[in-house]
């Protein structure tokens, strides 16, 4: 039979991101395209021990669990917030999900109707754009600069389009790695409150902060929109967090935190989508986090130290002659470097060329719902080891030189 | 702020099923309401060993994996099909998901538009109804009898409404436990082929077959619609399977199998929904399935022997005087017993009463999108142990007696 798919399927991307992934995996290419942490930094042995302890504790952990996810793990998150940000978030205001991608998907499903306008950063996370396309939303980009989202442009779009939702990632956004200034954070929140616009704040990368300053000190200087809003008693922000970048993706544990009514409806949508995330995985993660042999702060410090070495290496490599004219935002955290190519080189064309040499990255156009970003590329520096980074960047630079000549 | 949810949220159930669950969990009630296997029958020790082996094999298993899920596990499924049903299903035709609930959700998201008509059995699985409501589908029930779905009624509805999808569960359906006869299977498939109607066949309960006949022999006598269709070279059936009922729910491993184009689009939707299911969990499951110490057939036989004892006990208890006049389908498999109460007692009213005594079940009305099933109830016999079953059934029967007097 001929299949007649739902209307939204025509808005879905052409699976090209996926096909990059699959080809890479099959042919063991160097990938600077993916959104992967470094597997050699996972706390593997400690997770193995945690798993052993969990399996010894009896079969209940293999059963369906609470719909909102492990209460103990939600309490751990609350404690963490209290320590890091002096913020109290009731476990009832938290829903455990299978990662930040699922969290944004659940929110969009319950909050956005087809044709509703949703505002995103410029550029925006490809995963978020994918969700908005499948839901049939009208996606508009708000102008951003190195300080973050520009309030004047946000207000213009709010007034003109009456949007339903703003998706933002003020700390080390995917793909730019930018950090919004405190003033911008306050100004954007203020605008959203004035116009009753819900904010989805993706903070999945917020712990990946490089440099001498501790994550805790950084978070106090640059509080999340969620924190700023809560401190004023607001309910305008749905916070999205994840353990995929800090511990390991295969745990599939992320969370949403926000107004109880919002969490309740998302929780019903979660039940509809897949009943619940794995109670086994949540138990293993919790056991790790509570182990006296595991220290969260030390683990994050170790991760950030290694990622800082990799991004510095990437920035050094970008100084080589072939890259001349490339404009780079130097990020102080996150997993990506956003580079605008010289001579208006086309990112997709460069990718085709690069893949023939066995290396890949994400063309910038995939971070836009509009026809922009064609001469930008997103480079991941966390997953490739140093040797791969060196080789991959050299191969890309050769392609640039060839395309320019 | 006031939240303005998407239109579909108003069609979502009133969270009452969830609230039963949560109250039960909190207050340690006896639940005959849930869709849970018996945790004491999980292969806990063997899964623990499998987990240990997986964690020793290096960190890659904690990384993001293939979008379609573990190729080795998809190959295992293919081998199983070849053994059980002499059917060859290419691993490319399989997508691993986080369970059957997610599988039906993904299919509906890519195939059903708001207002599209979808046909379901009468009564139908509450989880499937939930998905269809959130998507805004127009849900119609096809008449069924003890032989399965009635072809004449299906054709009438196809002609009158031009439906987009038929959801069916021909072997041990939730909630009735019914098995469709071979004739009905052939007739329904034939109709769907003639009218180009896609079938979603949920076979999550298909291995839970009670009685002397082996599962393999049963499956040969009652082939799935998927098998019947494939043998004729068709692509009209999307098959839905799960390890939640046979191994353990917290693994969160289920699958879809069908036409490659359908699987490809579902796979893109899966990526949008949560990137992918846990490669760690898939690796643990695969390690168990391949372990020389674990035998799939013996495990299923053990499960079915114990569940048969429980359903026989439940059927015995239903003979007690308080239940007089209750009409029961005696199922030969699955996890549920569907009972129509005497004197048109109301299932919801009985539940309120029963919950005050500390026991619960699912009111039949929740298995209908229409105003039906009010005097039916669904009883789960797999999760409660024998003592709980005895006590729970007695408490419900007391409530019936009180309501009747």
């Amino acid at each position: 039979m001929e299949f007649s798919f739902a209307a939204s399927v025509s808005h879905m991307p052409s699976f090209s991101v996926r096909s990059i992934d699959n080809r890479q995996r099959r042919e063991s290419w160097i990938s600077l395209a993916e959104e992967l942490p470094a597997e050699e930094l996972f706390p593997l042995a400690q997770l193995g021990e945690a798993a052993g302890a969990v399996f010894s504790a009896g079969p209940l952990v293999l059963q369906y669990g609470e719909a909102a996810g492990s209460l103990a793990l939600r309490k751990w998150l609350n404690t963490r917030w209290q320590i890091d940000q002096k913020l109290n978030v009731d476990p009832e205001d938290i829903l455990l999900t299978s990662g930040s991608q699922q969290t944004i998907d659940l929110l969009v499903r319950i909050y956005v109707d087809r044709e509703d306008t949703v505002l995103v950063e410029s550029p925006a996370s490809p995963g978020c754009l994918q969700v908005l396309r499948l839901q049939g939303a009208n996606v508009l980009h708000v102008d951003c600069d190195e300080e973050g989202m520009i309030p004047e442009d946000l207000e213009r779009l709010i007034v003109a389009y009456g949007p339903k939702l703003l998706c933002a990632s003020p700390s080390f956004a995917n793909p730019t790695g930018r950090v919004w200034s405190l003033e911008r954070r306050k100004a954007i929140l203020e605008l959203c409150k004035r116009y009753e616009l819900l904010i989805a704040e993706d903070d999945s990368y917020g712990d990946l902060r490089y440099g001498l300053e501790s994550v805790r000190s950084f978070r106090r200087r640059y509080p999340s929109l969620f924190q700023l809003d809560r401190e004023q008693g607001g309910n305008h922000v749905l916070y999205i967090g994840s353990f995929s970048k800090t511990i390991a993706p295969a745990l599939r544990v992320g969370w949403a935190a926000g107004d109880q009514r919002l969490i309740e409806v998302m929780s019903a949508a979660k039940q509809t989508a897949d009943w619940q995330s794995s109670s086994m995985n949540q138990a293993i993660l919790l056991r790790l986090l509570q182990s006296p042999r595991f220290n969260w702060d030390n683990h994050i410090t170790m991760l950030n130290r290694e990622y800082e070495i990799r991004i510095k290496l990437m920035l050094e490599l970008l100084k080589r002659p072939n890259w001349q004219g490339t404009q780079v935002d130097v990020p102080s955290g996150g997993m990506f470097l956003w580079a605008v190519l010289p001579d208006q080189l086309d990112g997709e064309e460069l990718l085709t060329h690069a893949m023939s040499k066995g290396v890949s990255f994400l063309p910038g156009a995939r971070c836009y719902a509009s026809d922009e970003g064609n001469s930008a590329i997103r480079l991941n520096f966390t997953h490739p080891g140093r040797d791969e980074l060196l080789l991959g960047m050299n191969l890309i630079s050769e392609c640039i030189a060839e395309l320019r000549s």
Side-chain angles (χ1 to χ4, degrees), chain A residues 19 167 257 273 342 345 374 385:
Chain A
S19 71
C167 298
L345 286 180
N374 294 317

Side-chain angles (χ1 to χ4, degrees), chain A residues 138-166:
Chain A
N138 172 36
V139 181
L140 297 176
H141 292 271
V142 188
D143 285 345
C144 297
D145 62 18
E146 58 286 348
E147 295 282 301
M149 190 168 275
I150 299 173
E152 292 72 22
D153 198 51
L154 174 62
E155 185 161 18
R156 178 182 71 81
L157 291 167
I158 292 177
V159 171
Y161 295 94
K164 201 69 194 289
L165 182 68
L166 169 67

Side-chain angles (χ1 to χ4, degrees), chain A residues 216-235:
Chain A
R216 195 168 302 158
S217 152
F218 166 77
R219 283 192 175 284
R220 291 200 175 147
R221 283 203 300 137
Y222 295 95
S224 63
L225 303 179
F226 179 62
Q227 176 167 11
L228 289 171
D229 183 43
R230 283 245 156 177
E231 284 170 355
Q232 302 167 14
N235 66 346

Side-chain angles (χ1 to χ4, degrees), chain A residues 92-344:
Chain A
E92 296 283 314
D93 295 352
I94 301 173
L95 168 69
L96 298 185
T97 68
S98 299
S100 51
Q101 182 73 19
Q102 183 176 56
T103 310
I104 187 71
D105 187 49
L106 293 173
L107 176 66
V108 166
R109 288 180 79 178
I110 61 141
Y111 210 73
V112 176
D113 279 309
R114 178 164 297 284
E115 312 288 343
D116 277 350
T117 295
V118 175
L119 304 180
V120 298
E121 287 176 87
S122 180
S125 142
C128 179
L129 291 178
Q130 226 170 300
V131 166
L132 294 170
R133 281 198 195 100
L134 184 59
Q135 192 71 359
N138 172 36
V139 181
L140 297 176
H141 292 271
V142 188
D143 285 345
C144 297
D145 62 18
E146 58 286 348
E147 295 282 301
M149 190 168 275
I150 299 173
E152 292 72 22
D153 198 51
L154 174 62
E155 185 161 18
R156 178 182 71 81
L157 291 167
I158 292 177
V159 171
Y161 295 94
K164 201 69 194 289
L165 182 68
L166 169 67
C167 298
S169 187
S171 296
F172 317 124
N174 175 1
T176 61
R178 269 187 199 142
V179 176
W180 294 11
S181 68
L182 181 60
E183 292 63 37
R184 288 286 176 84
R185 287 170 195 248
K186 288 181 175 167
I188 297 296
L189 177 63
E190 200 43 52
L191 269 175
C192 291
K193 289 176 74 160
R194 193 184 323 149
Y195 289 100
E196 297 257 301
L197 176 61
L198 182 66
I199 303 173
E201 178 180 35
D202 184 353
D203 198 25
S204 310
Y205 301 96
D207 285 317
L208 303 181
R209 152 83 188 171
Y210 313 137
L212 291 174
E213 186 182 26
S214 75
V215 172
R216 195 168 302 158
S217 152
F218 166 77
R219 283 192 175 284
R220 291 200 175 147
R221 283 203 300 137
Y222 295 95
S224 63
L225 303 179
F226 179 62
Q227 176 167 11
L228 289 171
D229 183 43
R230 283 245 156 177
E231 284 170 355
Q232 302 167 14
N235 66 346
H236 293 73
V237 183
L238 190 281
Y239 180 95
I240 299 169
S242 173
F243 289 100
S244 294
K245 314 307 181 198
T246 49
I247 303 291
L251 291 171
R252 311 307 298 126
V253 184
W255 70 94
D259 185 274
Q260 209 159 315
R261 173 72 187 139
L262 209 50
I263 291 295
E264 186 186 50
V265 180
M266 285 179 70
S267 188
K270 165 78 180 157
Q271 198 195 27
T272 305
D274 64 4
W275 285 119
Q276 58 196 241
S277 296
S278 169
S279 41
M280 175 183 96
N281 297 26
Q282 291 166 14
I284 293 174
L285 173 61
L286 182 69
R287 182 70 72 145
L288 172 84
L289 296 171
Q290 293 180 332
S291 159
R293 291 193 46 219
F294 180 82
N295 180 292
W296 174 265
D297 291 325
N298 293 349
H299 176 70
I300 297 296
T301 303
M302 176 280 292
L303 265 188
N304 288 343
R305 202 171 290 149
E306 177 59 31
Y307 289 161
E308 188 180 5
I309 293 170
R310 295 186 192 190
I311 192 174
K312 281 186 171 163
L313 173 59
M314 188 175 264
L315 288 166
E316 272 310 306
L317 294 168
L318 281 164
K319 291 181 188 159
R320 293 194 176 176
N322 283 348
W323 291 95
Q324 210 182 2
T326 305
Q327 290 179 315
V328 173
D329 276 4
V330 178
S332 54
M335 292 173 62
F336 308 105
L337 198 143
W338 180 255
V340 179
L341 300 168
D343 301 345
Q344 299 195 305

